Amino acid sequence: MSELIWLSAVELADLLGRGEVSAVDVLNAHLQQIEAVNPSLNAIVTYLPEMALDLARQADNRRARGAELGPLHGLPIAHKDLAQTKGIRTTSGSPLYADLVPEIDDLHIERLKQAGCITLGKTNVPEFGAGSHTFNPVFGATHNPYDLSKTCGGSSGGAAVALAAGMIPVADGSDLGGSLRNPASFCNVVGFRPSPGRVPSYPKLSGWSTLGVVGPMGRTVQDVALMLSAIAGYDARSPIAIQQPGSVFAQSLERDFKAVKIAWSPDLGELPVAPDVLRTIESQLPVFAEIGCALEAAAPDFRDAYDIFQTLRAWSFELSFAEPFAEFGEEKFKETIRWNVTRGKRLSAVDISRAEAKRTELYHRVRVFMDIFEFLLLPTAQVPPFPIEWEYPEEINGVTMKTYIDWMMSCAYITVTGLPAISVPCGFTDDGLPVGLQIVGRPNADFAVLQLAYAFQEATGFYRRRPAVATGD
C-alpha cells in the first residue's frame, strides 16, 4: 500500500484504468500517509476521508459497470482553499469565511470531478492568497517537508507540501505573482503557470484579467501534463478562454532539442538573487547542452516590469476587496492586504492606462527577444526557503525589499508578459533546501514548455529525492 503513494499520477491512472488496483486501495494508501505526516506539516486543512471513501467506491462501481472513465479516474486530490468547492468549506484562510460552504464549484473543480478525481479535502493558503508564505489565522502555518523550520512558499503552499509528502498525486493551484511556481520551487515539485485562458476561470470577478490563472501541480512534468489535459480547453463563460482542447497535453512529451536556442538570465538584469540559489541552478545548466540545446546568457529588457506588476496588482486588489471591506470593515484583514488595497484606491486613470501601455511595450520587447530564443531560463525564486517565523524576506544580498512581494519579482515579471512558465526541480542547496528552475516559453507555447521541462527532469532526476519526514527515514 505504501508503494502506491510514490507512484506518479500517470502510473496510478494507468493501473486504475486497467483495474489492476482499485480506487479504494489508492485512496486508503494516501489517507494513511495523510494521517502519518499531515499533523507535522499542516498541508491539508479540511479533511474529508469518509466522503472520499464514498467517492472512491462509486468510482470502482463505475469501472465494474464498464462505464466510460475520465483521465484522472480514481486519483485522490485536495483542492486549494481559495477555490470554491460545492458543499465543502472554503475559508480562503480568513476567519471571516471560516464556515463558508459554497453552493457551486469553480470551473476547474467541475472539470477535475468530471475527469474522475476523488476529492479528500482542501489545502492550506495564505490569507486570501496574499504573499508567497502559507500561514493564516484559521489554520496556522504549513511547514516545508524538507525542513520543518522553513516556509513552503505560497499561495499554493499546502498543495505543494501535500504532493512532496506523498499525500496526494496531483493538486490544483493558482498563480498571480508566483503562487504555483514559488511553492513548487520550495518543495521540489512541479508547478505550471499556463497561458492566460488556457485553463478558463469561472466565476471570476474580472473575466478579462490575465494576471491570475489556474494551473496544475505534480511531482513530475508528466503528471502536470496529465492534469492539464483534463482542466484545459475552451469554455464560453471565460472571455479569454483559448480554443485549443486539453487533449493536446495528452501527447508524448518527447522531443529532439538539438540546436534549440535558449537564454539563461540569473537576474533579468536587475533582481537580487541569493548566491546559493544561483550556485545550485548554474551547476545544472550544462544539462541543456547535453540534451542538445544552444544556451546563451541573455535576457529581454524588463524595464518597467516592477511598476507594471505593482500597479495592476493593486488595481486587482481594490476590485477584489471592495465588497468584503465594506461588509466586514478593513480592520478585519491583515496589514499587507490593507496596504495593497489602499494603493489600489490611490491609483488614477492615468496610472492604470500608463501601466497597460508599458505592459504592451514590454510584451513586444519580450516577444521579439523570443523570436531568437525559444525559451528563457531563470531562477523561480530569488531566495531558498526562509524561516517559517518570517512574514517575508526583508532583504536579499543587502538589497532592502520595499514591500512584502518584492522578493517574488523573478516570477511576477514573467506574469505581466502573459507567457507560460514552469518551475521544475533543479537541485538542493548545501543546506538541503530545494531550488527550482523557471522555464518560460513563447506566447501560448504551453506544450513546448512542458517538453523542455520534461527533458530537463529526465536528465537530472531531482524529483526522486523525497523528504525524510514523508518516508520515515
Side-chain angles (χ1 to χ4, degrees), residues 350-392:
V350 171
D351 293 328
I352 297 167
S353 66
R354 295 299 183 272
E356 289 286 6
K358 288 179 180 178
R359 187 184 185 193
T360 301
E361 293 170 359
L362 171 63
Y363 170 79
H364 288 300
R365 290 197 302 270
V366 175
R367 176 187 59 79
V368 170
F369 176 87
M370 298 195 77
D371 284 342
I372 302 169
F373 299 97
E374 185 174 350
F375 301 96
L376 171 64
L377 312 180
L378 70 154
T380 301
Q382 293 164 241
V383 294
F386 52 85
I388 199 166
E389 63 268 16
W390 293 6
E391 185 174 3
Y392 60 91

Side-chain angles (χ1 to χ4, degrees), residues 175 193 196-197 204 206-213 240 359 415-416 418:
D175 185 304
R193 178 191 164 90
K204 188 175 183 180
S206 179
W208 294 97
S209 175
T210 60
L211 288 187
V213 302
I240 63 170
R359 187 184 185 193
T415 290
V416 296

Side-chain angles (χ1 to χ4, degrees), residues 142 240 262 319 368 463:
T142 298
I240 63 170
I262 59 177
L319 175 64
V368 170
Y463 71 95

Side-chain angles (χ1 to χ4, degrees), residues 33 36-37 40-41 144-148 164-165 466-473:
Q33 182 72 349
V37 303
S40 63
L41 294 171
N144 191 303
Y146 288 89
D147 183 338
L148 297 180
R466 299 166 186 159
V469 68
T471 60
D473 295 339

